[in-house]
Amino acid sequence: MAKSVLLLSGPNLNLLGEREPLIYGDATLDDHVATARAAAEQHGLDLDHMQSNHEGDLVAAVHGARGRYDAIVINAAALTHYGWSLHDALAAFEGKVVEVHLSNPYARETWRHTSVITPVADGSICGFGGLGYDLAIAAVARMLE
Ligand code: DQA
């Protein structure tokens, strides 16, 4: 059976393409999901995607992923910096976790320098724009080998 990945997208990422393009680029969330899906197919992984502007929905999605998905790739967006319930949910997920950001939060405002996701992730990829989704899936594939 193919291994499976759940891609999670946090608040405001539904506005990608229109939202601060100088920082986040012109690609839409659908474009990034397509990138991740193509990479997953190449590595023989199944991929599902879910986006929400609500922390509780993302927490519920992580709970639902327990025992069902082998890995989670997550761009938690602003929740990265304060979403402790998402941190705790991911800590209870037994599979692999990769954190992705389009921009490099460490080169931006100080409040973006803290990630509550990093301590519960196997690794983090940031600053490479859409390429980050490709790299994240490649990392998941390698870890699940
Ligand atoms: C982001 C970085 C976060 O600081 C920000 O709140 C986002 C997007 C990124 O992909 O670069 O919404 O996660």
Side-chain angles (χ1 to χ4, degrees), residues 38-57:
E41 268 168 30
Q42 206 184 321
H43 291 285
L45 301 169
D46 288 338
L47 183 132
D48 290 320
H49 172 249
M50 186 264 201
Q51 186 274 333
S52 179
N53 294 318
H54 304 281
E55 184 169 359
D57 289 347

Side-chain angles (χ1 to χ4, degrees), residues 1-142:
M1 216 175 79
K3 302 235 167 117
S4 56
V5 188
L6 179 62
L7 173 62
L8 291 177
S9 302
N12 303 305
L13 296 183
N14 55 311
L15 296 182
L16 287 173
E18 298 166 28
R19 173 192 180 208
E20 300 183 89
L22 291 180
I23 296 173
Y24 298 117
D26 294 324
T28 65
L29 183 57
D30 282 351
D31 294 332
H32 296 307
V33 174
T35 297
R37 203 176 288 289
E41 268 168 30
Q42 206 184 321
H43 291 285
L45 301 169
D46 288 338
L47 183 132
D48 290 320
H49 172 249
M50 186 264 201
Q51 186 274 333
S52 179
N53 294 318
H54 304 281
E55 184 169 359
D57 289 347
L58 292 159
V59 167
V62 174
H63 292 179
R66 297 175 74 238
R68 289 186 55 206
Y69 289 89
D70 299 292
I72 291 176
V73 172
I74 182 163
N75 183 345
L79 290 171
T80 302
H81 313 299
Y82 65 93
W84 287 108
S85 66
L86 200 47
H87 163 108
D88 282 353
L90 288 166
F93 176 71
E94 62 288 336
K96 301 293 181 189
V97 176
V98 177
E99 175 185 16
V100 179
H101 300 286
L102 294 162
S103 67
N104 178 359
Y106 303 99
R108 300 177 62 194
E109 303 96 317
T110 340
W111 63 268
R112 295 186 201 271
H113 297 183
T114 299
S115 168
V116 301
I117 305 300
T118 303
V120 288
D122 291 282
S124 305
I125 294 165
C126 67
F128 295 107
L131 173 62
Y133 286 91
D134 208 36
L135 298 173
I137 297 296
V140 163
R142 186 68 72 87

